[in-house]
Every structure is written in structure tokens, then in C-alpha cells.
Amino acid sequence: MILHKLSLVTNSNHTTNVIIGSNCILESLQSHSLSSKRVFIITHESLLTTLPIDINDILKNACNSDCYFIFVPDGEAAKSIDSYSYCLNQIFDIGVERGDTIIGLGGGVITDLAGFVASTCLRGIKLINIPTTLLAQVDAAIGGKTGINHVTGKNLIGSFYQPDLIINDCATLRSLPKHEAHSGFAEIIKYGVINDKPLFDVLSSQAQVLKLYNFEHNETLWLDIISQSIKNKIAVVEQDEKESSLRAILNFGHTIGHGIEALFDYNTYKHGFCVAFGMCAATYIAKRKNFITGDGAETIYQILRLYDYQHILLKPIKTTALLHHMGRDKKVKDSKIRFILPTDIGKVILSQDVTEDDILSSVAFIQTFFRGDTP
Ligand code: NAD
Ligand code: GLY
């Protein structure tokens, strides 16, 4: 069943069709008329048995193409130069033409990698994303940021490359571990804070249902929330695809969040949890600088508590190392770190006036917030 059909149209007139539904991959591929001679599916081998769908069967019924699976390691390790070369080696060994298609099937790691492979293979072949984590459905798979990591930092090698089709099948989320859903949910809270007070209000009022992360029993609510999140992202990306200005608001929580992710070598905290740390720190800084009222800041802390993020234990942070990592991030412009700070629910500003002292105070605050107490 397809419930929502959206589209993202860039300034250069590229259209990405975005489907949101349940058990909708076959129908979506059929209506897309996949006519490529070859389809390369980049994924993790383990997902073929974990996912509650039979992708082989779906592809057999959806197209007449020759389908080739390319398996990469699970986790952030897949976003490496080695995995990238491996994918291209496989594709060139098989043979590839401009009309062929790459499908990225998996979480944000896969959609980032598959997107970068598609954008660089023969200077760009067709790309379909089938995101299977909550984080990838609401954020990573949509908007055209692709990339892999370099030893110097995360996502430092990449491109802007828009997929032709994104299929968000809520049924695939039924096998998603709860902590992965919890991580992805932070990006949904992000949309509420930066741009969408009505969404924020739904998240607040429906917390007891949503925090079960039961994608089967509460499917309609989830489909609406996923769709609303994607609409927020589309609205921003359509105005500023290459992040020259407005798109930076999507980085709310990412400035300190990416720093913490890097500090712990990308293997301790999921991306979404780091975004939760970062949103809390940015809110503290906004309050410290009187950009947001005490009540406004408390409302943001409260939604983080409502969704149990305070139960994550944030290990002691070496602030010198954190500042070092933050200085290497892509969000640094003219040597100044750019922060997105909330001024109200649904409103943010970009500030380049955050001092080292502000950052250190906010880190001290989040160390007390994310204490890891069991509920
Ligand atoms: P991930 O891709 O590593 O997936 C998390 C885990 O879930 C993996 O072990 C994966 O195998 C497993 N999995 C995926 N789908 C599943 C399912 N349906 N059932 C059971 N298990 C499943 O992590 P993620 O959180 O999805 O993505 C994180 C990545 O996304 C980071 O590298 C981050 O930089 C990137 N990202 C990119 C953007 C962007 O705009 N391009 C935005 C946000 C995040
Ligand atoms: N996830 C941030 C962006 O897509 O810009």
C-alpha cells in the first residue's frame, strides 16, 4: 500500500519521486518502470535475511534487468575508501552502461555509500534508495548528500547527487532494533524544533505510543510522521540544495554531535544519539546567550527526556580533543564554527558567535543531562 507520494524538485529540475507506504517496494518499482539492463544492489548481506521482505522476489517481479548484489561490511566501516573501490571494482568487472541503476538498500551508511558510487560511476548513473532504518528514511536517503569517510574526518569525501526514486517502506522497519529506531527518532525531533511546531506537538502528545517503536501496530501514525519529516527536509533542500544558506538548519545538533561522534571514533554512539547530545548542547548555548527563553529551552529538554535520551550514558568528554574534532568539521567556515541555535519551537538561527566558553559550559551541562540512569 502506497500512502504518500512526494517529490523533490531541484533548481536544475531534477525530480526525485518519494514513496511512503507499507509493503510498497514492488508496486513502487513497477510504477517507476525500471528499464535498466543491469541493476546493482548495494547492501549488507545480513540484511537479506533480517529484513521482513524478499528483495530477490520483488526484483524478479519488478523488472527484467540482470540484478547483481554487492555486499559491503555492516556499520560505519562500509563508508570507507576500500568499500567504495570494492563496489566500483565489482560494477566494472560485471560491466556497466549509463542507463544502468544502483539501488542502495539499507540504512544511512548504505544510502551514503551507494549514492557516492552512483554519482561517480561513469560520471553518474541512476540511483534508487530503499532506506530501511528510521534515520535513513527521514534524513539520510533524501536530499542528495552522499559520501564516505576519510581518516581525517567523517563524510569528507562526497557529492550532491539526487536519487530518481526513494521508497520508504514502513514494513521494513519492523525488524529494526529498538536502539536503532531510538537513534533515528532524534532526527524527527530535530525537524520539530527547527521548522515544525505542529510536528513537535504531535511528538509530545503521542510519546507513549511512538516510543514503543512498534511500526506494525501503529503504522498509520508512523507513516504520517515519516512523511511529515520528509516534507520538512524537501522544503529546505528545494530552496538550498547545496547548503549555501538555509540547508544549514538541518545541522541543528550536528556541530557538537559530529564532534562527539568523532571523539569516540564513530563506534560508541549512533549518529542519532550524537544529534540528541548536540541538540541539548545547542539549546543550552541558546539559553546562555538569551536567544531562547528558559521555558523554551525546558520544552526541548523535556521532549528529549520524554523519549528517554537521558538514559544514554555520555562518557566523560576530553574537551580539548572535542574542540579539535569540531574544528575539522565541514560546518567550519572562515575558521569559525557555525551553530544552529533554537529561538523557539519551530524556529532557529545560525550563529557564528558561539565562544569556546559557551561550548565548554554546554559540554559540562550535557554530561549531567545524559547520565545513563535506568528508567
Ligand atoms: P546504519 O546504516 O549503520 O544502520 C544501522 C544498523 O541497522 C546496521 O547494522 C544495519 O545493518 C541495520 N539495519 C538497517 N535496516 C535494518 C532493518 N530494517 N532491520 C534490521 N536491521 C537493519 O545506520 P543509520 O543510523 O541508518 O545511518 C547512519 C549513517 O547515516 C551515518 O554514516 C551518517 O553519517 C549518515 N547520515 C547521512 C545523512 C545524509 O544526509 N546523507 C543524514 C544523516 C545521517
Ligand atoms: N542531514 C543534513 C542534510 O541533509 O543537510
Side-chain angles (χ1 to χ4, degrees), residues 285 288-289 323 339 352-360:
I285 292 171
R288 192 172 201 253
K289 298 180 101 54
L323 291 170
F339 269 84
Q352 294 205 4
D353 298 324
V354 173
T355 63
E356 199 172 302
D357 204 39
D358 292 327
I359 297 172
L360 298 183

Side-chain angles (χ1 to χ4, degrees), residues 44 46-47 50-52 74-76 79 106-112 131-137 139-147 149 154-155 171-177 179-180 183-184 187 190 233 247 254 258 261 270-272:
H44 309 299
S46 59
L47 275 185
T50 310
L51 289 176
D74 204 358
E76 197 67 31
K79 278 175 59 174
V109 154
I110 289 289
T111 55
D112 275 10
T132 62
T133 63
L134 186 58
L135 183 134
Q137 293 199 355
D139 191 5
I142 173 102
K145 279 189 183 175
T146 81
N149 303 327
K154 193 171 152 76
N155 297 333
T172 64
L173 301 179
R174 291 178 195 171
S175 56
L176 191 67
H179 72 278
E180 295 292 347
S183 160
E187 299 279 8
K190 178 189 81 176
K233 183 141 185 191
R247 187 166 178 165
H254 288 58
H258 269 174
E261 230 178 326
K270 296 287 313 168
H271 176 76

Side-chain angles (χ1 to χ4, degrees), residues 20 51 106-109 111 130-142 166-191 203 210-215 218-219 221-230 233 270-273 307 309:
I20 299 135
L51 289 176
V109 154
T111 55
I130 307 181
T132 62
T133 63
L134 186 58
L135 183 134
Q137 293 199 355
V138 299
D139 191 5
I142 173 102
I166 305 174
I167 307 169
N168 297 287
D169 185 342
C170 195
T172 64
L173 301 179
R174 291 178 195 171
S175 56
L176 191 67
K178 282 221 161 43
H179 72 278
E180 295 292 347
H182 193 201
S183 160
F185 197 82
E187 299 279 8
I188 298 179
I189 293 178
K190 178 189 81 176
Y191 292 120
L203 303 184
L210 290 171
K211 67 200 258 189
L212 299 174
Y213 301 109
N214 188 328
F215 296 100
N218 308 115
E219 194 170 75
L221 177 61
W222 274 111
L223 286 167
D224 288 345
I225 292 212
I226 290 167
S227 173
Q228 189 55 32
S229 300
I230 293 172
K233 183 141 185 191
K270 296 287 313 168
H271 176 76
F273 294 140
Y307 282 91
Y309 290 99

Side-chain angles (χ1 to χ4, degrees), residues 2 4-10 14-20 28 31-33 127-131 141-143 162-168 230 234 238:
I2 292 176
H4 303 277
K5 279 188 185 178
L6 307 174
S7 58
L8 188 163
V9 184
T10 62
H14 179 279
T15 299
T16 304
N17 291 310
V18 185
I19 307 284
I20 299 135
S28 307
S31 60
H32 184 69
S33 315
L127 172 66
I128 295 177
N129 277 338
I130 307 181
I142 173 102
Q162 301 294 345
D164 297 299
L165 174 67
I166 305 174
I167 307 169
N168 297 287
I230 293 172
I234 290 176
E238 282 191 335

Side-chain angles (χ1 to χ4, degrees), residues 34-42 59 63-70 90-103 121-122 125-128:
L34 190 61
S35 58
S36 303
K37 214 191 269 180
R38 299 171 203 84
V39 174
F40 305 97
I41 304 104
I42 300 183
L59 288 169
C63 58
N64 291 319
S65 320
D66 294 328
C67 296
Y68 303 92
F69 282 90
I70 300 176
Q90 295 288 303
I91 290 170
F92 291 136
D93 279 354
I94 293 161
V96 58
E97 292 170 15
R98 271 269 165 80
D100 293 340
T101 297
I102 287 182
I103 294 182
C121 181
L122 306 184
I125 64 173
K126 287 186 248 177
L127 172 66
I128 295 177

